[in-house]
Amino acid sequence: MKTRIKKWALMWLVGCCCMGPMYAGTITADDYDKQLKALYEKKSWNDMKPLLEEALKRYPNDSDLNRWAGMYFWQQRDTDNARYFLIKAVRQDGENYQAKWQLATLEEEIGQLSSAICYVNELLELYPYDQALWKKKIGLYRKQGNQIEADRLLERLYVIYPTDSVVRKDYVNRLEEKYMAEQKRGEYEKAMGNLRTLLKYKPEERDYYLALSNMLLREGRSEEAVAALSEGLIHLPGDEALLRKKASILAERGNDKEAVDLLQKSRSGGLQREAAELMLEAARKESWKDPYLLYGRVYDAQRSEEALDYLIRMSISRGYDEDALFYLNEYKRLHGEDEFVLYRQYRLHRRMGNMPAAVSALEKLVRMKPTDTDGVQELVSLKLERADQAMARGNYADALTDLDAAWSLSEGTELERVATRKRLDCLSAMNRHGQVVATVDSLRRVKGDQSLYVSQKAWALNRSGRSAEALEELERNRMADSELYEEIAVAYLRQLLEERADREAYRVATHWTAVAPDSKSALMYAVRTSEKMEAYEEAENYVNLGLQRYPQESFFAVKRAAALYRDKRYTEGIDLLTPWAGSLSRNKEIVQAYAAHAQGKAEAQLKEKQTSQALATVDKALSLDAANPELWHLKGRIQEQAGDYQGAYRSYVRYTPPVWHEAEYRQMLKGVQRKGYRNRLETDLLLGWYADGGRSNTVSSISYTRLQKRDTFTGTVNLASRRVDVEEGEVPVTDNSGIQLRLDWAHRFGTRWTGNLAFAGADHIFPSWLGEAGISYYFPKDVELGVSVGYKKNYVPAVETGEGVSGNMYNLRLTSALYREQWTVRLNGDGYLLQKKPYFNLSAQARFYPLQDGYTHLLGTVGAGTAPESEFVDKLMPGSFEKWNFMVGVGGVYMVSKHVSLGLMATYYHFYNQSSSPVEEDASYSRYKDLYNVYAQLIFSF
């Protein structure tokens, strides 16, 4: 007996696995950071994008790499992706300065000024002395139209940086803008106040003096106008405009002689002519009845002491300053420099605004009469005032000279503490903090009082980098509840946290709560540092204490919510945050905390198949945080599980994935759209070959499925062609074919129960008719169990001899399935009763979904038993009963578009075969055969 062997080559491609590039060495996130920085500075955008994709695949949670992604998209004018990555960078590192700065700049560019201010405020909490942040915040408020707040911040910035020329220039320019605007609006008092402040910084600006004098005249305050112009002439001696203005005011007040004398001192021809005209006018008005003129003439003629005394007193009282100086000099020439002349020179120079001359006169007076306490106090006050002006201009050296003198003169007087305090403040402003500490310690030893100048010493210690000592100084003097203590403690804690000194920060914060139990800031830092040390129970105690003492402070509510979130107590977190979310719907931290709890709760509800409750939870969160892409993505998943695929699609498109996941995400959206189609047409073809070259049965199918919300109806037509080949010349070749019509109905009773019924009828190859019924239950943890029973009338096994014995078959199937995000594993146990003999088959199937479309997958299956696998039984493929059958298969389905999917599967079947030959009397023999099958699918949804 000869057998012709035909060799068939069957090639099948399941898929290709994409391998990432292999590296000889490890590239760190810092290496990527340096490369991206270089490309960004060169503006090499085309080179930057692939490097970003590579870096974020390896380090998706690195804050700096996400910042570079945000900056890249910003340069590409893709604001949404830029914001996404910058926010991600900030979430991963809340102290990423550059990321928050870029976020603030981005929000400013698109007009979201409030958001930009929020980011700048967060940076200022970390870097309170960063001048650039203050300037940016001021600029944002100006863009917002909030000039009052911008001006307040600019003034505060100038106080912090009084020596910075740029800050000073900005401050002065703003004062000038304000004064001009107030003058235009007729708010003269405010305008004059700003002008006087401006003159401290720009004393040589002539227009300021003229504007101030005009406004004073408008208010009827001519004497103050003259004083303002006199001060201007000190800084701008001989200025024609100031001289002319002062002369005109003096003339209008009747001080013609003083006006003429003032103009005659100028070398300007124009002013000389004006002086002559003024003298002529004065001469016409002058009367011999004025005693002042008469005494003047008397003194010119006789140098009378009586006349001189009268002229001094009246010139001073009438405001004839030039006359008064002349007559005082006359007195000094005749009698020398005594108390009388020095005191009056001091008062006169001070009224004229000539402070150097006033101070000089008063110093001479004090040296002449050091026991005059009034004079000493007047000199100390004058030097303190002049020191204040010098410090306001940033001239600390001159200020310190005056303060040293005032400090020495004021010893033992009421002004000693004032002078000492200002001197210490000046030394601090000059960064001579060590000298401040030494001075305070010396004073304490001398005075025997350790409570002197506590604030000054503490501040100097703090600025010297000795913050811990500064805090101890304040504690010793019972000032732990002071604003200064809080300012130093906050700055010190921030420094410690920046330096990653978490343990020391924890010690300082908890100690602060002990010495200042009523401090809200102390409690807040105790919470933060306890969390850093993972002392969550202690942190929770501080949070509860904060909620009791400060029920209106959202910080403690957010932290309490964070603790509940860690424990996955989402419902309690939502209950806690709901009142806050209602009253503080614009508070970013409250909204983010609420959204996180809502997301966690909805995820749990989704897992429990509580889709309606999950949808309500997410909708509430979206009403507060409508721009949250994660919530929209979650809502899409919930709607997808609920069968609302159109709604799911609308929600999914609100989520923007990273650019390198866009293709995969678009594929997922196609899958969602496809699930929303109600009609499906499917064609299948099953072909088989034996290892020895013979053909096996062929089964082709076509089916139509109608999908409803809870019901699925399927009609199928199966066409089978059975081919039986035996040895040549002994049994003729027999070809059979048959057709089967089958109806299936599946119904979902709720979120967990599902049932199905099936009925089919056929001719002689298939069973005459069959019926099946089953039910399954979906458990928590994504586990499903099911059971089904069936009956087949006149089932004919596909055995080799072609002489299968008809019989009625009963079958029982037990199924279990485990569902994961990308995996599904199913175990099946089938029991059969055929011709009163029991048979079984056990099989397992695993599916891997590499994409997110819900259709594309790779499939692997394996089975063994005394009966064929159930699908082979239904398709009438060859197999044996009673003896062992083994099967293994691999395949997959790919969704080509939202309408079309293609499937391909290959299986290997090893089963027992028995044949008999009539030629030889005892020629029965047994052997196992190998069968290869290919199963192809085409699915069209619409």
Side-chain angles (χ1 to χ4, degrees):
M1 182 174 57
K2 296 182 180 181
T3 304
R4 300 183 64 181
I5 301 175
K6 299 179 181 178
K7 295 182 179 180
W8 294 78
L10 179 63
M11 301 182 65
W12 172 67
L13 180 62
V14 176
C16 297
C17 296
C18 297
M19 300 289 293
M22 304 299 292
Y23 291 88
T26 300
I27 301 178
T28 66
D30 289 339
D31 295 331
Y32 282 119
D33 180 73
K34 293 175 184 177
Q35 295 178 44
L36 289 168
K37 180 180 179 182
L39 292 174
Y40 187 87
E41 291 174 350
K42 294 178 182 179
K43 299 183 179 181
S44 301
W45 313 125
N46 292 334
D47 296 332
M48 190 173 181
K49 181 179 179 182
L51 185 61
L52 268 174
E53 293 177 359
E54 177 186 319
L56 284 172
K57 282 181 181 178
R58 302 193 70 183
Y59 303 102
N61 295 319
D62 186 86
S63 179
D64 285 329
L65 296 182
N66 279 281
R67 173 176 61 82
W68 284 120
M71 293 173 67
Y72 166 78
F73 283 111
W74 187 22
Q75 291 296 332
Q76 303 302 309
R77 315 311 298 172
D78 187 347
T79 306
D80 291 338
N81 271 324
R83 184 190 287 109
Y84 170 82
F85 283 105
L86 289 173
I87 289 174
K88 187 174 179 182
V90 170
R91 285 177 180 169
Q92 290 154 355
D93 181 3
E95 299 180 4
N96 190 325
Y97 181 98
Q98 292 176 311
K100 284 190 177 180
W101 177 275
Q102 294 296 340
L103 261 178
T105 306
L106 183 148
E107 299 291 1
E108 178 185 6
E109 187 175 293
I110 65 175
Q112 299 295 330
L113 300 178
S114 297
S115 298
I117 291 171
C118 288
Y119 289 122
V120 174
N121 284 336
E122 290 177 11
L123 285 172
L124 282 172
E125 289 182 8
L126 301 171
Y127 310 98
Y129 300 107
D130 192 315
Q131 189 180 132
L133 291 173
W134 286 104
K135 289 183 177 180
K136 190 170 188 68
K137 186 175 179 180
I138 291 168
L140 289 169
Y141 274 119
R142 294 226 186 276
K143 283 189 175 183
Q144 203 177 48
N146 191 347
Q147 301 296 339
I148 294 175
E149 183 64 17
D151 291 341
R152 186 188 70 79
L153 292 175
L154 181 58
E155 184 176 357
R156 182 178 178 187
L157 183 61
Y158 180 69
V159 171
I160 298 174
Y161 299 100
T163 59
D164 191 291
S165 59
V166 177
V167 174
R168 180 182 177 187
K169 181 179 179 182
D170 292 342
Y171 181 56
V172 169
N173 289 343
R174 180 55 188 161
L175 284 174
E176 186 172 27
E177 292 174 8
K178 287 176 66 179
Y179 123 69
M180 295 177 70
E182 289 160 352
Q183 183 183 31
K184 190 173 182 179
R185 294 194 300 266
E187 298 174 358
Y188 298 111
E189 199 63 40
K190 291 182 180 179
M192 287 188 288
N194 284 321
L195 264 179
R196 287 192 172 96
T197 305
L198 273 171
L199 286 170
K200 291 180 181 179
Y201 307 111
K202 300 178 74 173
E204 297 180 356
E205 188 65 43
R206 178 184 65 188
D207 292 341
Y208 292 168
Y209 294 107
L210 292 173
L212 179 58
S213 65
N214 286 332
M215 283 188 279
L216 288 167
L217 289 172
R218 189 182 186 93
E219 297 293 312
R221 295 151 66 179
S222 58
E223 187 173 349
E224 292 181 52
V226 171
L229 293 166
S230 298
E231 183 180 352
L233 287 168
I234 293 172
H235 297 285
L236 299 166
D239 186 90
E240 290 188 24
L242 297 180
L243 287 169
R244 184 178 289 109
K245 186 66 176 179
K246 181 177 179 181
S248 67
I249 298 172
L250 290 171
E252 290 177 5
R253 294 181 63 197
N255 297 342
D256 296 317
K257 184 176 183 305
E258 188 174 353
V260 170
D261 291 342
L262 184 66
L263 293 175
Q264 283 181 333
K265 289 180 180 180
S266 173
R267 296 180 181 180
S268 168
L271 292 181
Q272 292 289 344
R273 286 191 296 273
E274 289 184 25
E277 293 174 1
L278 192 57
M279 288 175 63
L280 179 60
E281 182 65 25
R284 292 170 181 164
K285 296 188 299 182
E286 198 60 55
S287 169
W288 284 96
K289 296 178 182 180
D290 187 353
Y292 181 79
L293 292 177
L294 294 176
Y295 271 111
R297 293 179 183 276
V298 169
Y299 181 76
D300 289 340
Q302 300 179 3
R303 294 293 187 267
S304 166
E305 289 286 340
E306 178 186 350
L308 181 60
D309 181 69
Y310 178 85
L311 289 168
I312 289 174
R313 287 186 291 102
M314 293 307 295
S315 62
I316 292 175
S317 64
R318 290 186 178 185
Y320 300 162
D321 296 339
E322 298 296 331
D323 283 2
L325 286 175
F326 173 77
Y327 292 126
L328 285 171
N329 285 329
E330 285 292 296
Y331 182 93
K332 186 165 60 173
R333 183 177 59 81
L334 296 171
H335 302 288
E337 212 169 40
D338 59 11
E339 295 177 26
F340 175 86
V341 71
L342 285 172
Y343 181 74
R344 281 161 179 77
Q345 280 184 330
Y346 158 68
R347 301 299 297 176
L348 181 60
H349 283 304
R350 183 166 187 179
R351 186 176 72 185
M352 294 172 66
N354 189 356
M355 296 307 294
V359 171
S360 176
L362 191 55
E363 285 176 336
K364 291 177 182 178
L365 182 60
V366 169
R367 284 196 298 269
M368 188 176 294
K369 194 176 180 181
T371 58
D372 182 4
T373 56
D374 291 338
V376 171
Q377 289 197 0
E378 185 80 12
L379 179 59
V380 170
S381 298
L382 197 61
K383 286 186 174 293
L384 292 176
E385 180 181 343
R386 195 164 69 171
D388 286 341
Q389 294 173 354
M391 284 195 291
R393 295 193 300 270
N395 192 352
Y396 295 104
D398 289 348
L400 186 60
T401 301
D402 281 330
L403 288 169
D404 284 340
W407 187 40
S408 176
L409 288 167
S410 64
E411 185 175 1
T413 69
E414 296 177 355
L415 292 175
E416 181 181 5
R417 289 183 68 89
V418 177
T420 304
R421 180 180 56 79
K422 290 193 175 186
R423 182 172 178 272
L424 293 174
D425 291 344
C426 184
L427 289 171
S428 289
M430 297 172 74
N431 292 323
R432 292 159 69 171
H433 305 297
Q435 191 173 346
V436 173
V437 174
T439 301
V440 173
D441 289 342
S442 176
L443 286 170
R444 288 178 176 180
R445 286 193 298 271
V446 172
K447 302 291 184 181
D449 186 354
Q450 295 300 313
S451 64
L452 294 175
Y453 310 110
V454 175
S455 299
Q456 286 76 14
K457 182 178 179 180
W459 182 252
L461 288 169
N462 176 56
R463 298 295 288 170
S464 301
R466 299 158 63 185
S467 301
E469 295 178 53
L471 296 175
E472 291 173 3
E473 170 74 13
L474 293 169
E475 288 174 26
R476 281 195 299 271
N477 291 275
R478 299 180 180 180
M479 293 180 63
D481 57 349
S482 65
E483 291 184 7
L484 178 60
Y485 189 98
E486 179 166 323
E487 183 178 354
I488 294 174
V490 167
Y492 185 39
L493 284 166
R494 285 176 179 164
Q495 177 189 342
L496 291 173
L497 292 173
E498 287 176 7
E499 295 171 354
R500 300 292 191 269
D502 297 338
R503 186 173 297 280
E504 178 63 13
Y506 169 75
R507 186 196 67 76
V508 172
T510 52
H511 177 71
W512 186 9
T513 61
V515 297
D518 294 330
S519 171
K520 181 169 66 175
S521 297
L523 280 175
M524 293 168 73
Y525 273 98
V527 172
R528 290 178 180 137
T529 55
S530 297
E531 289 178 340
K532 286 273 188 181
M533 297 300 296
E534 297 184 0
Y536 296 118
E537 185 174 347
E538 189 171 350
E540 189 168 352
N541 292 334
Y542 286 124
V543 168
N544 292 333
L545 188 59
L547 287 171
Q548 293 173 10
R549 292 182 179 175
Y550 309 102
Q552 302 303 317
E553 176 55 59
S554 62
F555 171 86
F556 298 107
V558 170
K559 289 298 181 182
R560 175 61 180 157
L564 294 172
Y565 187 85
R566 282 195 300 271
D567 297 337
K568 298 183 179 180
R569 295 155 64 184
Y570 306 123
T571 302
E572 293 179 54
I574 290 174
D575 292 340
L576 171 69
L577 293 169
T578 296
W580 291 91
S583 59
L584 296 176
S585 59
R586 295 187 178 180
N587 185 305
K588 184 174 65 175
E589 292 184 343
I590 290 290
V591 170
Q592 286 179 347
Y594 187 96
H597 276 278
Q599 188 170 352
K601 182 178 181 180
E603 290 275 9
Q605 291 170 328
L606 180 64
K607 203 167 186 178
E608 295 293 327
K609 302 295 184 180
Q610 299 172 1
T611 51
S612 59
Q613 296 93 322
L615 190 60
T617 301
V618 170
D619 281 339
K620 174 61 178 175
L622 283 170
S623 69
L624 299 171
D625 193 7
N628 189 319
E630 301 297 333
L631 287 177
W632 282 109
H633 190 272
L634 177 57
K635 182 175 181 179
R637 289 171 53 202
I638 297 169
Q639 291 170 313
E640 186 176 357
Q641 187 184 85
D644 180 11
Y645 300 110
Q646 291 183 352
Y649 180 82
R650 289 193 297 269
S651 297
Y652 278 136
V653 295
R654 299 288 294 271
Y655 174 80
T656 303
V659 64
W660 34 88
H661 293 314
E662 283 184 356
E664 183 179 350
Y665 196 73
R666 284 195 296 269
Q667 182 77 359
M668 184 274 287
L669 290 177
K670 292 178 184 177
V672 174
Q673 286 180 291
R674 181 170 188 169
K675 291 176 183 177
Y677 296 142
R678 297 299 185 186
N679 304 287
R680 186 170 66 215
L681 189 63
E682 179 176 345
T683 61
D684 305 327
L685 179 62
L686 178 60
L687 301 173
W689 292 267
Y690 290 107
D692 61 6
R695 286 285 302 277
S696 177
N697 296 354
T698 300
V699 180
S700 58
S701 304
I702 183 168
S703 65
Y704 168 76
T705 302
R706 174 67 180 178
L707 299 126
Q708 303 291 354
K709 188 170 185 180
R710 289 184 175 272
D711 297 283
T712 302
F713 302 94
T714 302
T716 306
V717 178
N718 291 313
L719 301 173
S721 175
R722 174 181 293 175
R723 182 181 182 88
V724 180
D725 294 332
V726 297
E727 299 298 332
E728 293 181 8
E730 298 184 14
V731 179
V733 175
T734 304
D735 291 298
N736 295 316
S737 63
I739 185 170
Q740 181 188 59
L741 300 179
R742 180 182 175 113
L743 295 176
D744 289 84
W745 170 57
H747 178 74
R748 184 159 53 89
F749 296 98
T751 57
R752 298 194 179 279
W753 287 99
T754 304
N756 63 281
L757 294 174
F759 179 80
D763 57 14
H764 62 283
I765 295 227
F766 291 96
S768 302
W769 62 271
L770 65 81
E772 293 178 0
I775 193 166
S776 62
Y777 182 79
Y778 192 96
F779 289 86
K781 306 298 182 182
D782 300 322
V783 173
E784 185 180 20
L785 296 179
V787 60
S788 63
V789 295
Y791 173 77
K792 295 178 176 63
K793 179 70 173 177
N794 296 327
Y795 176 76
V796 180
V799 296
E800 276 292 292
T801 59
E803 299 175 359
V805 180
S806 299
N808 298 328
M809 174 185 285
Y810 299 89
N811 64 281
L812 171 69
R813 162 168 277 206
L814 300 177
T815 63
S816 64
L818 175 65
Y819 298 96
R820 289 292 180 262
E821 185 176 355
Q822 287 188 286
W823 289 92
T824 299
V825 178
R826 184 178 295 274
L827 302 176
N828 302 314
D830 294 292
Y832 303 97
L833 188 63
L834 179 63
Q835 297 177 348
K836 298 182 180 182
K837 292 183 180 181
Y839 305 97
F840 75 93
N841 182 276
L842 299 176
S843 63
Q845 184 184 87
R847 294 188 181 190
F848 172 63
Y849 294 84
L851 305 180
Q852 300 179 14
D853 56 27
Y855 289 94
T856 300
H857 65 269
L858 299 175
L859 170 66
T861 183
V862 63
T866 59
E869 197 269 336
S870 64
E871 189 168 358
F872 273 57
V873 172
D874 292 338
K875 299 291 187 179
L876 296 177
M877 296 302 289
S880 68
F881 284 83
E882 191 169 347
K883 300 294 183 180
W884 279 92
N885 295 259
F886 301 96
M887 182 271 292
V888 64
V890 290
V893 173
Y894 177 68
M895 191 181 79
V896 179
S897 70
K898 62 184 179 181
H899 294 289
V900 178
S901 292
L902 297 176
L904 188 65
M905 183 174 181
T907 61
Y908 164 72
Y909 213 95
H910 185 69
F911 64 95
Y912 182 81
N913 176 75
Q914 179 173 326
S915 297
S916 60
S917 173
V919 178
E920 299 179 18
E921 182 177 339
D922 188 14
S924 65
Y925 64 95
S926 298
R927 60 188 175 90
Y928 274 91
K929 297 194 71 173
D930 297 321
L931 176 66
Y932 299 96
N933 298 293
V934 173
Y935 184 51
Q937 292 178 297
L938 172 62
I939 307 168
F940 182 71
S941 300
F942 56 98

